[in-house]
């Protein structure tokens, strides 16, 4: 009996061609065309077992041999080399640390051929005790999505250039983590020595045409730290260079963006330049405004979320202490920030 090499995922499925013919022939005419096989029986039961083994992807090796004195199926003394048979090969993939398999498709493939490969691969991975199967399809292979879905996969997440699908194949409880649940945004409180706060009016969105002055805001990019995002947004919207000081407060809002939750961090920054140059594509106007005037706007007073942010900013102007960004490093050397009041 042969077996797949340990931990190797083959790139294609070899279609068995000549193998079944001698088996079928031996089964139908056991005396007229004897076949010598590495299998433990000379009876019809042995031939049936051989066929069952073949159908379960446990293919024995074959060697034709004529014998006038015996029709027995010889027992092999040692494992037959894989070179003597055609190999069952799987989709390309990598085993992860959680008994899962990650398949990243790159080259075009006929959907029917891909479907056969996928079904054979799923069968093998189940036998190996794998649990979650991930398939990453680049946008150029969108024609394979239907094939994957028909095999029980579901969408996990999508990016501009690929779609990730997943299927839980284990009998145990599904423990695949959900897609990212939050979006992260920042609001930048920048105040100069004259107790003036940097504010903007937006061209689009719910504040369009309202005359409301608000703090510069924006979304944190993938791979970007909160403190860096605050500096970038201030520069983009107002042209002002600023240095991050601390996180003053944050709030969480659910079902805010395509059913996802939203984390919003109010950040204090110290200006390093003062000339205002607004961003023409998003900002209608930008200027320095007395902080009391900003906090007294009717819209701010009527909306508790904006009112509390304004009160936090006013408190900061009177020595309120927020959370400083403390650089830390993981064991692998990766830099992260811990936001804390502790002065290290």
């Amino acid at each position: 009996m042969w077996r797949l090499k340990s931990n190797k995922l083959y790139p294609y499925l070899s279609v068995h061609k000549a193998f079944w013919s001698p088996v079928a022939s031996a089964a139908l005419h056991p005396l007229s065309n004897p076949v010598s096989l590495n299998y433990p029986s000379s009876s019809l039961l042995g031939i049936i077992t051989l066929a069952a083994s073949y159908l379960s992807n446990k293919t024995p090796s074959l060697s034709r041999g004529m014998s006038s004195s015996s029709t027995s199926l010889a027992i092999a003394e040692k494992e037959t080399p894989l070179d003597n048979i055609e190999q069952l090969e799987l989709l390309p993939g990598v085993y992860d640390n959680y008994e899962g398999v990650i398949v990243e498709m790159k080259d075009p493939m006929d959907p029917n051929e891909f479907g056969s490969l996928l079904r054979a691969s799923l069968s093998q991975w189940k036998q190996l005790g794998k649990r979650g199967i991930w398939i990453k399809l680049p946008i150029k292979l969108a024609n394979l999505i239907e094939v994957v879905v028909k095999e029980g996969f579901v969408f996990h997440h999508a990016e501009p250039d690929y779609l990730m699908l997943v299927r839980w194949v284990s009998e145990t409880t599904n423990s695949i983590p959900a897609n990212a649940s939050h979006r992260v945004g920042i609001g930048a409180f920048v105040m100069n020595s004259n107790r003036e706060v940097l504010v903007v009016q937006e061209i689009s969105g719910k504040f369009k045409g309202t005359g409301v002055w608000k703090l510069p805001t924006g979304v944190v990019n993938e791979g970007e730290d909160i403190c860096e995002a605050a500096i970038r947004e201030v520069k983009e919207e107002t042209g002002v260079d600023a240095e991050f000081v601390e996180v003053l407060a944050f709030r969480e809002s659910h079902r805010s963006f395509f059913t996802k939750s939203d984390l919003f961090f109010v950040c204090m920054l110290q200006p390093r330049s003062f000339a205002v140059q607004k961003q023409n594509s998003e900002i209608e106007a930008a200027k320095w405004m007395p902080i009391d005037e900003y906090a007294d706007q009717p819209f701010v007073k009527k909306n508790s979320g904006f009112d509390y942010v304004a009160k936090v900013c006013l408190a900061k102007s009177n020595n309120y202490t927020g959370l400083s960004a403390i650089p830390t490093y993981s064991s692998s050397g990766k830099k992260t920030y811990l936001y804390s009041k502790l002065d290290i």
Side-chain angles (χ1 to χ4, degrees):
M1 185 172 66
W2 69 275
R3 61 188 177 214
L4 287 174
K5 294 179 181 179
S6 176
N7 290 337
K8 181 175 181 181
L9 301 182
Y10 295 94
Y12 300 103
L13 173 65
S14 296
V15 179
H16 48 279
K17 297 178 181 177
F19 169 74
W20 184 248
S21 178
V23 177
S25 177
L28 295 174
H29 307 286
L31 298 179
S32 63
N33 187 24
V35 179
S36 178
L37 300 142
N38 294 328
Y39 221 77
S41 176
S42 61
S43 64
L44 180 60
L45 175 61
I47 297 175
I48 294 173
T49 305
L50 164 67
S53 175
Y54 169 75
L55 293 176
S56 64
N57 293 333
K58 297 179 179 178
T59 312
S61 62
L62 303 182
S63 61
R64 284 186 176 275
M66 298 296 295
S67 173
S68 60
S69 61
S70 173
T71 59
S72 66
L73 304 176
I75 302 175
E77 295 296 333
K78 60 182 179 178
E79 186 175 348
T80 303
L82 288 176
D83 293 340
N84 292 343
I85 62 171
E86 294 192 62
Q87 299 176 11
L88 176 65
E89 299 180 351
L90 311 179
L91 286 170
V94 176
Y95 294 169
D96 64 22
N97 294 326
Y98 304 95
E99 296 301 329
V101 182
I102 303 172
V103 177
E104 184 172 354
M105 301 301 298
K106 295 181 179 180
D107 300 320
M109 183 179 292
D110 176 77
N112 292 328
E113 179 184 358
F114 175 70
S116 297
L117 283 167
L118 179 57
R119 286 187 289 274
S121 300
L122 287 172
S123 177
Q124 183 65 33
W125 291 329
K126 286 181 181 178
Q127 293 181 34
L128 293 174
K130 299 304 174 183
R131 302 193 300 171
I133 312 299
W134 300 83
I135 295 184
K136 182 179 180 180
L137 290 177
I139 195 168
K140 68 179 181 179
L141 300 184
N143 64 315
L144 301 180
I145 294 175
E146 183 178 2
V147 178
V148 181
V149 171
K150 284 183 176 179
E151 294 303 321
F153 285 76
V154 297
F155 299 150
H156 186 267
H157 66 271
E159 296 294 341
D161 59 345
Y162 77 86
L163 176 67
M164 184 71 82
L165 300 98
V166 67
R167 177 181 167 184
W168 186 258
V169 296
S170 172
E171 297 298 327
T172 60
T173 301
N174 188 338
S175 61
I176 292 174
N179 184 24
S181 59
H182 286 67
R183 181 183 67 166
V184 180
I186 63 93
F189 172 57
V190 187
M191 188 174 65
N192 61 25
S193 59
N194 296 322
R195 288 179 54 86
E196 293 175 326
V197 59
L198 188 62
V199 293
V200 299
Q201 289 182 338
E202 296 178 340
I203 290 177
S204 59
K206 68 179 183 179
F207 293 107
K208 177 183 178 180
T210 62
V212 173
W213 293 96
K214 56 185 290 293
L215 302 179
T217 58
V219 176
V220 178
N221 293 329
E222 182 177 356
E224 184 178 41
D225 289 294
I226 293 169
C227 52
E228 295 173 348
I231 293 171
R232 175 184 54 78
E233 285 292 347
V234 170
K235 180 66 175 180
E236 289 179 355
E237 294 192 0
T238 69
V240 172
D241 294 313
E243 178 184 352
F244 179 85
V245 178
E246 56 194 16
V247 171
L248 299 180
F250 70 91
R251 66 110 176 95
E252 184 177 27
S253 175
H254 301 296
R255 303 189 66 82
S256 298
F257 183 76
F258 292 107
T259 75
K260 303 301 182 182
S261 299
D262 183 79
L263 283 171
F264 185 80
F265 291 83
V266 181
C267 301
M268 170 74 179
L269 290 90
Q270 184 72 35
R272 294 302 180 210
S273 67
F274 302 93
V276 176
Q277 185 175 356
K278 71 181 182 67
Q279 182 183 39
N280 292 328
S281 61
E282 297 182 13
I283 303 302
E284 181 68 31
K287 68 176 184 179
W288 293 99
M289 172 185 283
I291 188 171
D292 293 322
E293 184 179 338
Y294 161 75
D296 287 338
Q297 291 181 94
F299 175 84
V300 172
K301 289 288 189 181
K302 292 179 181 179
N303 290 269
S304 61
F306 283 82
D307 188 40
Y308 273 110
V309 168
K311 289 178 179 177
V312 169
C313 293
L314 285 167
K316 178 57 186 176
S317 68
N318 295 314
N319 297 322
Y320 167 84
T321 303
L323 306 176
S324 300
I326 302 171
T328 62
Y329 297 87
S330 67
S331 58
S332 62
K334 181 180 179 180
K335 183 179 180 180
T336 61
Y337 285 95
L338 175 69
Y339 296 89
S340 171
K341 283 189 175 182
L342 182 62
D343 185 12
I344 298 178

